[in-house]
Amino acid sequence: MDQSSEAGTYVTHLECSLTGQQYAHDRMRYLSDNGAPLLVRYDLEQMRKRLDRDFIARRRGDIWTWCNLLPVGEDVTPVTLGESITPLVPINLEHGQRAGAVLIKDEGRLPTGSFKARGMALAVTMARHFGKTELVVPTAGNAGAAAAAYGAAAGMTVHVIAPRDTPDITLREIAFLGAQSHQVDGLIDMCGEFARARATQHGWHNLATLAEPYRLEGKKTMGLELACQFNWSLPDIIYYPTGGGTGFIGMWKAFAELRALGWIEEKLPRMVAVQTLGCSPIKSAFDSGLDDVEEAFQPVTTIVPGVRVPKPLGGRLIVSVLRESNGHASAVSDESTLSSHSEAARKHGIHLSLEGAACLAAYREDLDAGRVSTDQIAIIFNTATGYKWPLPNIEAS
Ligand SMILES: *Cc1c(COP(=O)(O)O)cnc(C)c1O
């Protein structure tokens, strides 16, 4: 195999996720004519012939290891802050007579302390490539911090639209990174409307979840990285805190592409979309047999920021991943999230984000209910560092 040919990208077009209609990828595009997210498609046939998985795996350093499976051609210069590989940290949970072995995929190690860095690294890279200079993003918090950081690194102006009750530490982080921050009395959907209106009015580039095709490609690297860390055979089950669902959809896209390339075996993990009782639109839709989230979940009462998305734009895609993977949706209480949060810290020395703690709580519930067994390999996504949430008072700890 001529390894010098292993450069460049294999993108062929963008595709409407609803109808399959094709669009050229020669300029920045947003939703399809049907208002559905666009997916980046590749010439998998050529990739299969020309790319060598072990050669690529030997590059292993960061998300750009995967440049040939991303829209990053030789003419694209990455905007990077050092998106290193995130570790799988094993913990042993007591469960009856046996211990369940779970691995925490710790995304809190990424720039700005959350996995939003993966998506924004790609999205801002492509925005710069297509000549955008002013960005806007609606956020529950971490996407705003990541956009602020990558925008600063790319020399762009960034506008972040966040709910007024976003954790103070995140609002400060966004401002500290130089973004213009606007606070809205409402949830992320209202921030989304605000961002859309401003984007149209001022010609800003809108980085909202799934509103442009490239954040999803960045999140796809979670699936590629996981496959590589497992030596190309995937774990049994994946717990993922699901808000807008980019990571969930992105990982599944990664697995589908890897399978088409013949790099992984047929068997794919069961995907579990973890939400909380105070905001679980995906669970409601999936459990009622619907294809999409039809109505916004209300009232939203949960304290877990990452899942406070009452009506995700990618609802249809998330539900189809649940079906295809034979997975399920969970809704845990804030109380069991907080007790998993403190259990992980005290018993295992791991300072999880609330989103990661919700996944641990969901895993525990599934063990109790027999939906997962202790001999299955389970992955818990800790999507941000624990420092994104105020530490409890000393007396309360
Ligand atoms: C954004 C976010 C989520 C939800 O991610 P999606 O891929 O949009 O579903 C989960 N956890 C944290 C910490 C987040 O910032």
Side-chain angles (χ1 to χ4, degrees), residues 114-116 142-143 209 215 219 240-248 306-307 353 355 383-384:
S114 88
F115 74 142
K116 291 292 194 302
N142 293 329
T209 298
R215 273 177 71 185
K219 291 280 188 81
Y240 181 85
T242 309
T246 10
F248 204 71
V307 304
S353 59
E355 292 83 356
T383 42

Side-chain angles (χ1 to χ4, degrees), residues 22 43 67 76 81 97 110 112 119 124 127 143 154 172 187 228 245 252 267 270 277 303 305 320 348 396-397:
Q22 301 191 359
D43 185 344
C67 58
V76 177
L81 294 169
Q97 305 300 325
L110 287 162
T112 69
V124 174
R172 287 178 188 227
L187 288 162
C228 192
W252 197 247
K267 195 182 142 288
R270 277 194 287 155
L277 291 171
I303 57 166
S320 76
H348 307 291
S397 290

Side-chain angles (χ1 to χ4, degrees), residues 6 62 69 78 131 157 185 190 225 272 287 302 326 347 360:
E6 291 192 15
D62 57 19
L69 289 83
T157 306
D185 292 306
M190 221 191 245
E225 190 172 303
V272 183
D287 289 357
T302 182
N326 194 22
K347 292 212 183 132
L360 186 56

